Amino acid sequence: MTPGTPMTDRTVVVGAALLDGGQLLAARRSAPADLAGRWELPGGKVEPGERPEDALVRELREELGIEAEAVERVPGQWPLRAPYVLQVWTARLRPGSPAPRPLQDHDELRWLTPDRIWEVDWLDQDVPAVREVSPRLTTGPR
Ligand code: CDP
């Protein structure tokens, strides 16, 4: 990055590795056509001036109707279609949150146990992040 470039100029997409009871939530995209049917870590674009962790909470509320919180950043970032990069945080449901349901962008949700994590067709760009998160399913927040 050029020195002096504000951080808000980065076009970050945040993805949530939502963990609950040792399972990871996968969401199947319903749009756009080239991504429909593939599975992703739910999330979306960080808005200018927004903290990524806040974007994550907002996107999960909009897309899944849940109240969640970011737990920790998964090391690394992965290029998407320019100029976007994907950053991933683990996340958990706040006490009393509704259960996730597909409100927009998705047509199916699935909680995956560690042995089932590769049974869904993850978006190519999400695979490295899922690989990074999978060991935490046994040790992460429950
Ligand atoms: O909801 P919003 O419009 O902010 O973002 P989105 O359409 O959900 O995601 C923005 C871009 O990031 C899309 O091109 C998605 O395909 C991509 N994305 C991804 O590759 N992996 C994710 N886990 C989430 C989004």
Side-chain angles (χ1 to χ4, degrees):
M1 198 189 304
T2 314
T5 304
M7 294 295 281
T8 48
D9 280 2
R10 291 199 311 188
T11 16
V12 174
V13 170
V14 288
L18 184 68
L19 303 174
D20 192 57
Q23 301 182 91
L24 170 69
L25 188 77
R28 192 172 68 182
R29 286 201 71 108
S30 51
D34 56 323
L35 302 180
R38 307 286 300 277
W39 294 75
E40 70 172 9
L41 301 171
K45 300 180 198 90
V46 178
E47 290 175 356
E50 191 178 35
R51 292 169 62 238
E53 295 92 329
D54 294 335
L56 188 113
V57 169
R58 176 182 53 74
E59 290 282 350
L60 294 178
R61 188 180 290 133
E62 290 171 4
E63 295 185 356
L64 306 175
I66 61 173
E67 295 303 322
E69 60 191 353
V71 177
E72 61 176 338
R73 170 87 185 272
V74 174
Q77 64 176 10
W78 299 279
L80 303 176
R81 189 167 35 87
Y84 298 106
V85 295
L86 177 66
Q87 297 182 355
V88 173
W89 271 257
T90 57
R92 65 179 160 225
L93 291 167
R94 297 174 66 94
S97 169
R101 53 204 192 280
L103 299 178
Q104 59 181 46
D105 295 350
H106 306 114
D107 60 7
E108 192 181 332
L109 303 177
R110 204 177 286 177
W111 287 106
L112 301 172
T113 50
D115 54 317
R116 302 223 139 150
I117 219 159
W118 300 109
E119 286 184 4
V120 301
D121 184 19
W122 292 102
L123 288 177
D124 295 343
Q125 58 268 30
D126 284 38
V127 167
V130 173
R131 197 177 287 133
E132 192 69 43
V133 163
S134 67
R136 299 165 193 239
L137 280 176
T138 43
T139 57
R142 303 186 77 82

